[in-house]
Amino acid sequence: MSSKPRPRPDVFNTGFWQAAREGRFTIQRCDDCGDAHYPGTPVCPKCLSSSQSWAPASGRGTLLSWVRFHRAYWDGFREEVPYGVVLVGLEEGPMMLSNLVGAEPEDCTIGEKLEVTLDTSDPEWTLPKWRRVGRA
Ligand SMILES: [Zn+2]
């Protein structure tokens, strides 16, 4: 069994993980002002409304930055170091930390367009990851 850390579902992120499990990529939207944010928050960071919903997101983003981890902070990552972590700017505005699939970050250009892909390899969690557009 993998000893990688798993998402910890709570009242603010359960909607996100449930949608991912159903094959949908979502971001939190304020029901009152429409502000898009991620990760989920108890109140809208813009207008403080507590009325928030998980809304469909485009799944398009931009590579903002990346880093390569050379140290395994969890045993489950030990065999994968050095692994890349990317910072993606979602088309709707929020940013997301994730992994790149099908390419190495070094091969990409900052500002390059990425698209989400839902990784269903974990039996319990569907993890949004990112790939270069048009390069599968
Ligand atoms: Zn709002």
Side-chain angles (χ1 to χ4, degrees):
M1 181 177 155
S2 172
S3 57
K4 287 181 178 174
R6 294 310 214 298
R8 293 182 185 168
D10 61 31
V11 66
F12 304 121
N13 68 22
T14 293
F16 176 82
W17 294 113
Q18 192 171 340
R21 184 83 189 211
E22 295 165 0
R24 295 179 291 117
F25 180 64
T26 58
I27 53 170
Q28 199 178 45
R29 274 209 188 269
C30 176
D31 295 334
D32 289 320
C33 79
D35 186 63
H37 35 271
Y38 179 87
T41 59
V43 296
C44 174
K46 192 172 175 186
C47 76
L48 301 182
S49 167
S50 59
S51 185
Q52 311 287 307
S53 301
W54 288 97
S58 70
R60 292 187 292 270
T62 302
L63 178 64
L64 297 181
S65 188
W66 60 270
V67 67
R68 189 165 285 286
F69 278 61
H70 291 267
R71 178 174 171 181
Y73 292 95
W74 289 273
D75 285 343
F77 288 99
R78 197 164 300 282
E79 294 186 2
E80 295 178 25
V81 291
Y83 62 90
V85 173
V86 292
L87 178 64
V88 180
L90 306 184
E91 188 175 71
E92 292 82 2
M95 294 183 282
M96 175 178 282
L97 285 169
S98 183
N99 300 115
L100 196 62
V101 296
E104 298 300 331
E106 289 88 339
D107 300 329
C108 300
T109 306
I110 298 299
E112 182 172 333
K113 300 296 180 195
L114 302 176
E115 59 190 3
V116 77
T117 177
L118 297 176
D119 180 349
T120 58
S121 60
D122 186 295
E124 293 176 48
W125 298 95
T126 297
L127 303 175
K129 296 187 176 177
W130 294 81
R131 65 184 173 203
R132 303 175 93 178
V133 172
R135 301 191 194 217

